[in-house]
Structures are given as C-alpha cells and as structure tokens.
Amino acid sequence: MLDFIKRWFWYDWMMFVIRTILFVSLLFTLEHFSEQLTIPFWLGALWGITAFSIPWLCLQRHYTYYLISEMVISGGLCLYAVSLFPEAYVAFLGPTFMIASNSAQKSYRWAGPMTIFVIPALLAELSEPSNLMTMILQFGLIYAVGFAFQLLVVNHRQSEMIRDQYAVLEQYSSQVERLTLAEERNRLSKDLHDTMGHSFTSIMMGLETLRSEVNTSEGARKLESLLQLTRGSLDEVRQYVHQVGAAQDSRTLVESLQALTAEFQALTKVTVRLRILGEEDQVSQQVKMTLHRCLQESLTNAVRYGQADEIAVSLHFEEKQLRLEVQDNGLGTEELQASFDLTAMKERASDLQGQVHIHSKPGEGTVVTCTLPRQAEQQEEAIRLLLVDGQPSIRESLQMILAREKDFEVVGLAEDGEQALEQCERLRPHVVLMDLHMPRMDGVEAAKRVKQKHPGIRVLIMTTFQETEKAVEALRSGADGYLLKSSEPQELSETIRLVHRGVMMIAQDVTNQLIQNYGGGALREQPAEPDKPLPPPSGLTPREMDILQCLSKGLRYKTIAAKLYLSEGTVRNYASTIYTKLGVRNREEAVQKVFGNQG
C-alpha cells in the first residue's frame, strides 16, 4: 500500500482529504442523532468506516471495483440515512463527485445514469418523490463538476508524462554525446598509435638494415640523422596519442556509474539505488564504456517503456566476471520486442565475450543482466608469447602492439613452423600466435606438432583471409583459436587472454562462414561412427558439446572443470553461451533440446 501512496500526486491527496472530511462529518452526525437511529451507534460507525475504506482500497486495484463498491456501500448508507432524515440525501453529493472523478474509459455509460438518475430516484422514493427533479439536477451538476475535474487530472498526468519523457530523452542525448566523443577519441588514439607506430617502426628497422651498407662517414652521419628524426617523430606521435587519450573519462567504473545514476535521478525524479558488491579493480576503457552504456539504456527503457519509479542497480565484482543487474518496478511485458537499443546493448557485450539477458513479466517489472568476463589479473609471471609469421614486418608490428600490454611478454619470434617447434622446446611459451602460410612448415602442421609435444601450450592461428577449410583443418589439428589479422588490437589482446585461460576463440566472421558452409558439426571429426547418431544441428562447437555432455550427466561445474582441464569460471561462461545459442534457460532444457529426440 505504501507503494501506491508514493505514486500519489496532488489530486490523489485532494480526493483522500475530501473522503476523510466526509467520513469525519458522518461520524459526528451519527453521534449527534444516535438516539434516533434504529441500529446501534457502533454498527453505524462500522458501516461508515466500511464506506470510507473499502471503495478506497478497491480504487487501488481497479476503477470498476471502486465504482461498484462506492455505489453499493456509500449509496446504501445514504439510503438508510434518508429513510430516517429526508434531507440527508445531500450526503451522497460527495460520493457523486468522486465517482465522476474516478470513472474511466466506457464506465461513464453506466456510472453516470446510475449516479444521476437511479440513486436519486431511490432516495426520492424514501423521502419526498416531489424532490426527484431537484435531486437529479443537483446530482447531475456535481457529476459534471467531477467529470471536468477528471479531464483536468488526465491532462495533468499526460503533461507530467511528457515532461518525464523529455527529461529522460534529454539526459540520454547528453550521455550519448559525451560517450560518442569519448569513443571517437579512443578510436583516434588507437588508430594513430597502430598506423603511425607501425609505419615509423618499419622505417626505423629499414634504416637500421642500411647501417652495414653505408661505408662513408658522411653517409653514416646522414643515416644517424634520419634515425634520430624518425625516433623524434614517433615520440611526438606518442605524446599526441597520450594527450588525446587523456581527454577520456578518467573516473573509475564505480565513479562513472555513480555519476550516471545521480544525474539520471536528478533529471527524472526516479529513485535509483546503486550497490557495489565485491572489491573493485581496474577495468579497460572498453569494459567501462560497455557497462556504462548498458546501464544507461536500461535506465532509459525502464522509465520510457516500463514507467518505473524505482530502479535497483547492483554491480558485482566476481572472481571470473563482472555482472551488472538493473531491476525496475515498472509494468513489465511478456514479449520483449527487439529494438535498436536492445540489439546494440547485446552487440557491445558480445564484442567483449559477454552476454546480456533480459527477464520481464507483466506487473513484475524488468531485470537486465549484463555479464562480462574479467581480464586475467596481473600475475607474477606474465603471459609468455611466441610470434610466428613469415613476414618480418608483421612479426615486428605484432611485437610492438602486444608489448603495450602489461600482462604480455613476447619471448620469441619465429619465421616458420620448424623454428616455432624449436623455440617452443626452448622457451616454453604460454601462447603461440601462428600464421597459416609459412615456408618449410605451414601453420596447420606446426600447430599439430606443437600440441602433440606440448599439450599445455595454447596455439592461436592468425591469418589474413577467411579460409574456412584451413580453419577447420587447423582447429581439428588442435589449435585453440582462429583470428583474423585485421582484428582490432583490443580484440586481439582479449582473445589471447581468453585462449590462455582455456577458452576456444574463433573470430565471429569465421564462425558465421563455418556455420554457413558446414553447419553445427564443422569441427567434429569426420566421418562419424555409423552406429552413433549425431546430435541435431545446434550451432555448438565441439568444446561446447563436451560441456553439454557433462551437464547431461549431472556433473557440477567444478567437476567438469577438473575433467576438461578448465577453470570453473570458464565452464560457467561456456554454459551461458550454450543456453543462449539454444534459446533455453537451464541445463535440463538444453539437454532435452539437443539429446531429447535421440531415444
């Protein structure tokens, strides 16, 4: 009941005050004429309390219930009073005003005649029939005043709604503008760093190779001058990149979300409660931007579509993931319509290997959950990388890009598969980034031999084109991931971290091509055993099928992790991905959908 009171406007309080005044005056009247009553005073007072409270409580549920209860209970009390005192009919003028004020839609068609004609006719029958026309005029006038008041209230509510919508849109527009500028600065910073850094590095390396060919002191002096000029230009580019990047939001993730909720609450007058669970740590700018946008979209949709006035936000810093939950008390809906906002929210999370789930039911509000895997925490030993590529410029560019990450250490460079095998034996890297096309031994054969000799080393294939046949061959040979060289540096870094943690990663473009050309079983060994039926097409990878097989046996996440040599958090991420691909909510539905029809 308190929730209803919190939503009251001035006209709701006005109606409550009128009702209270009528009730108090009724009690005084009953007490004053108690000797002339045909029923005990306490019974009359109880009748009055019922006439005051029951219709009001019914109004909180539905206006139809209110109209019926008001006419029956209050009308009955007035009929009883008129049977004793003919002039008591005026006591029903107050309920008449409230009936007109609280009628809605087509209820006027029956509520009006009942209030203006039927009830006055009954009152006149018990008092003086000659006063019937006078009563009809009085009740009709009061009903018209109540009807006009109802129109005023409807207009006021619409104006308030338009104002709230405008405030939400204004706040949304302001946030979008700021975040768009921040994203553009971030993109510009990365583009400058990657393109100019690569160009200057290539120039410097090219100049260094000329040292042995310069025999005169004058040539050596000019070469040194060119090298100094190139290094100086590269330093200037780096300084400019840092200045551009410094213009980005320097607040932490928690501070950013706190500022967003405070601003939203101030502009929309909606109560937003933010809770932080777990110990905060540093997150990348991309993660912060994704969670910020997800919260922004969720808050805006809760008010625009759900008409919520209370929103609870919780940010969970868990061991393996970040989880943002936004729960509102709005209208909710059975079927969520796909929209640009919802699609953009899911795409942003998907870019970081995360997910967005939305649960909504009529009358129960909406819950939006955004889950992103946490970056590997800074370890005592960084992720050791071996870069294998036939082109020196590519190796050096990759080395320069990856050297920026604090948790990466490039321990070796190789130009073909044979060198890669030799260096894996000697350097024992954690992850090998390997090209497909190389002299002497290509990436497929090299990946197969590396995994045979060193199963613990992760192999991430990197290539220029979407060669689906090669991709299938490489992944069957034991490679742990397949990525295009055109991937963004941020995507490359995140992919390396996830592969290092045991997650099989395939570029989205390549995955789409694999599904289109091969279907869900592209990576399974062929041919399949004739006596063992294949699972139905599901779009699941072999690793996801392994996880689902374990889930079908009732194994716990911890047991599956130990069995498949994965972390428990990775198994949880796999399970969430499986449920999303299959469109189910839990392991029972997933097992039934994939294996249920196999007998």
Side-chain angles (χ1 to χ4, degrees), residues 182 312 523:
L523 305 181

Side-chain angles (χ1 to χ4, degrees), residues 111-403:
M114 287 289 296
T115 308
I116 299 174
F117 299 106
V118 177
I119 293 179
L122 295 175
L123 294 173
E125 187 69 24
L126 293 175
S127 57
E128 298 179 8
S130 59
N131 292 336
L132 177 58
M133 290 305 300
T134 302
M135 291 183 185
I136 291 176
L137 289 175
Q138 289 177 338
F139 283 97
L141 177 61
I142 295 300
Y143 192 90
V145 173
F147 182 79
F149 181 76
Q150 168 69 359
L151 293 179
L152 175 65
V153 169
V154 170
N155 182 66
H156 179 76
R157 284 176 175 170
Q158 290 178 344
S159 299
E160 286 287 333
M161 187 178 299
I162 292 173
R163 254 195 313 271
D164 292 342
Q165 295 288 333
Y166 178 76
V168 171
L169 291 174
E170 188 177 46
Q171 188 266 352
Y172 179 81
S173 175
S174 175
Q175 288 287 335
V176 167
E177 182 179 359
R178 287 203 296 267
L179 289 174
T180 302
L181 288 173
E183 286 182 329
E184 184 62 20
R185 291 192 186 100
N186 190 35
R187 185 195 64 80
L188 179 60
S189 174
K190 288 181 178 179
D191 288 347
L192 282 173
H193 193 290
D194 297 338
T195 58
M196 299 303 293
H198 172 71
S199 299
F200 278 114
T201 302
S202 300
I203 293 172
M204 284 190 296
M205 290 183 175
L207 292 174
E208 288 287 354
T209 59
L210 295 177
R211 281 186 182 274
S212 58
E213 301 178 15
V214 177
N215 299 321
T216 64
S217 59
E218 180 65 18
R221 186 185 64 78
K222 289 182 178 180
L223 180 59
E224 185 64 30
S225 176
L226 289 173
L227 282 170
Q228 291 179 358
L229 177 61
T230 306
R231 290 193 177 98
S233 300
L234 180 57
D235 290 338
E236 289 179 4
V237 170
R238 286 173 177 164
Q239 291 176 7
Y240 179 71
V241 166
H242 292 320
Q243 289 174 0
V244 172
Q248 300 175 14
D249 188 359
S250 60
R251 295 175 297 187
T252 65
L253 172 61
V254 172
E255 292 171 345
S256 177
L257 299 188
Q258 287 173 339
L260 174 59
T261 54
E263 181 180 0
F264 186 87
Q265 186 169 229
L267 289 173
T268 62
K269 309 302 181 185
V270 173
T271 302
V272 183
R273 298 188 302 272
L274 174 63
R275 292 192 309 157
I276 308 299
L277 303 175
E279 185 176 353
E280 181 184 9
D281 60 358
Q282 289 292 107
V283 298
S284 67
Q285 186 72 18
Q286 194 171 4
V287 169
K288 183 169 71 172
M289 191 78 67
T290 299
L291 292 176
H292 193 286
R293 278 289 177 88
C294 183
L295 176 57
Q296 180 190 39
E297 301 289 357
S298 301
L299 293 176
T300 303
N301 290 338
V303 176
R304 289 177 61 187
Y305 306 121
Q307 300 180 21
D309 58 9
E310 286 190 7
I311 304 174
V313 182
S314 58
L315 177 63
H316 302 255
F317 286 90
E318 299 175 350
E319 181 180 0
K320 298 295 183 181
Q321 64 184 12
L322 288 172
R323 180 159 53 90
L324 176 69
E325 290 186 358
V326 185
Q327 182 173 5
D328 64 63
N329 66 344
L331 302 177
T333 178
E334 281 286 359
E335 298 182 0
L336 289 168
Q337 299 295 329
S339 64
F340 173 78
D341 296 342
L342 180 59
T343 303
M345 194 189 306
K346 291 187 174 182
E347 287 179 351
R348 285 178 174 276
S350 178
D351 289 342
L352 296 176
Q353 312 304 323
Q355 295 177 342
V356 173
H357 296 284
I358 301 178
H359 174 77
S360 182
K361 283 188 176 181
E364 297 183 9
T366 302
V367 180
V368 180
T369 304
C370 178
T371 305
L372 299 179
R374 293 179 71 171
Q375 289 184 350
E377 297 180 0
Q378 189 69 26
Q379 305 170 357
E380 294 181 3
E381 183 181 8
I383 300 176
R384 298 165 57 83
L385 304 177
L386 173 62
L387 309 182
V388 186
D389 197 290
Q391 301 182 40
S393 61
I394 299 298
R395 294 197 301 269
E396 293 157 1
S397 298
L398 284 173
Q399 183 179 18
M400 183 186 68
I401 292 172
L402 298 175

Side-chain angles (χ1 to χ4, degrees), residues 386-392 395 412-429 432 434 438-442 446 449-450 454:
L386 173 62
L387 309 182
V388 186
D389 197 290
Q391 301 182 40
R395 294 197 301 269
L413 303 174
E415 64 181 20
D416 57 41
E418 291 185 359
Q419 287 189 11
L421 288 173
E422 177 187 344
Q423 296 201 31
C424 282
E425 187 72 33
R426 181 167 52 89
L427 301 174
R428 296 302 174 104
V432 178
M434 190 172 313
M438 297 181 296
R440 294 199 293 178
M441 184 186 297
D442 65 8
R449 295 194 184 184
V450 168
H454 311 284

Side-chain angles (χ1 to χ4, degrees), residues 26-163:
L26 174 64
L27 289 182
F28 277 111
T29 303
L30 291 175
E31 194 277 334
H32 184 70
F33 295 99
S34 59
E35 295 180 356
Q36 303 178 42
L37 297 177
T38 59
I39 59 175
F41 171 75
W42 66 266
L43 186 58
L46 181 61
W47 197 346
I49 293 173
T50 303
F52 167 79
S53 58
I54 297 301
W56 181 75
L57 293 175
C58 290
L59 181 60
Q60 312 310 315
R61 300 293 297 175
H62 196 273
Y63 67 89
T64 303
Y65 303 151
Y66 162 77
L67 296 175
I68 295 174
S69 61
E70 187 77 271
M71 292 178 187
V72 173
I73 301 176
S74 300
L77 183 58
C78 285
L79 287 172
Y80 172 72
V82 168
S83 67
L84 301 177
F85 315 103
E87 62 275 9
Y89 75 89
V90 297
F92 197 69
L93 293 176
T96 299
F97 173 81
M98 288 184 288
I99 288 173
S101 300
N102 292 299
S103 297
Q105 298 182 7
K106 297 180 180 180
S107 62
Y108 292 106
R109 296 180 179 180
W110 59 270
M114 287 289 296
T115 308
I116 299 174
F117 299 106
V118 177
I119 293 179
L122 295 175
L123 294 173
E125 187 69 24
L126 293 175
S127 57
E128 298 179 8
S130 59
N131 292 336
L132 177 58
M133 290 305 300
T134 302
M135 291 183 185
I136 291 176
L137 289 175
Q138 289 177 338
F139 283 97
L141 177 61
I142 295 300
Y143 192 90
V145 173
F147 182 79
F149 181 76
Q150 168 69 359
L151 293 179
L152 175 65
V153 169
V154 170
N155 182 66
H156 179 76
R157 284 176 175 170
Q158 290 178 344
S159 299
E160 286 287 333
M161 187 178 299
I162 292 173
R163 254 195 313 271

